[in-house]
């Protein structure tokens, strides 16, 4: 599991305290599929413009974008590559 947030203890820390939550997003791969989970960050995580906060593990198909904070003006964007 890969955890993104502003806390220095995670693999990837994003230093935007007004935008990124301490624990913002969790990413994991299960059976070759990518899943993300936002357990209630303040500013949200979006897949194709849809807010996934508190939706549990959400599968992210290849070619989709994961936006942190805003779908229109993200603080960070992760693009899931096509195989």
């Amino acid at each position: 599991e890969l955890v993104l947030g502003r806390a220095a203890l995670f693999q990837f820390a994003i230093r935007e305290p007004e935008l990124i939550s301490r624990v913002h997003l969790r990413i994991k791969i299960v059976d070759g599929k990518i899943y993300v989970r936002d357990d209630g960050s303040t500013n949200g995580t979006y897949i194709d413009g849809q807010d996934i906060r508190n939706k549990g593990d959400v599968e992210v198909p290849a070619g989709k974008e994961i936006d942190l904070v805003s779908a229109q003006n993200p603080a960070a964007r992760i693009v899931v590559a096509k195989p």
Side-chain angles (χ1 to χ4, degrees), residues 14-53:
I14 302 170
R15 305 283 189 237
E16 292 288 344
E18 296 83 31
L19 301 174
I20 302 296
S21 293
R22 193 171 94 60
V23 177
H24 198 100
L25 179 70
R26 297 175 184 274
I27 302 171
K28 64 182 177 179
I29 299 173
V30 178
D31 296 328
K33 296 179 180 178
I34 297 174
Y35 294 89
V36 297
R37 186 176 75 230
D38 180 323
D39 288 329
S41 68
T42 300
N43 292 311
T45 301
Y46 301 82
I47 299 174
D48 280 351
Q50 299 296 312
D51 190 343
I52 65 160
R53 279 180 281 193

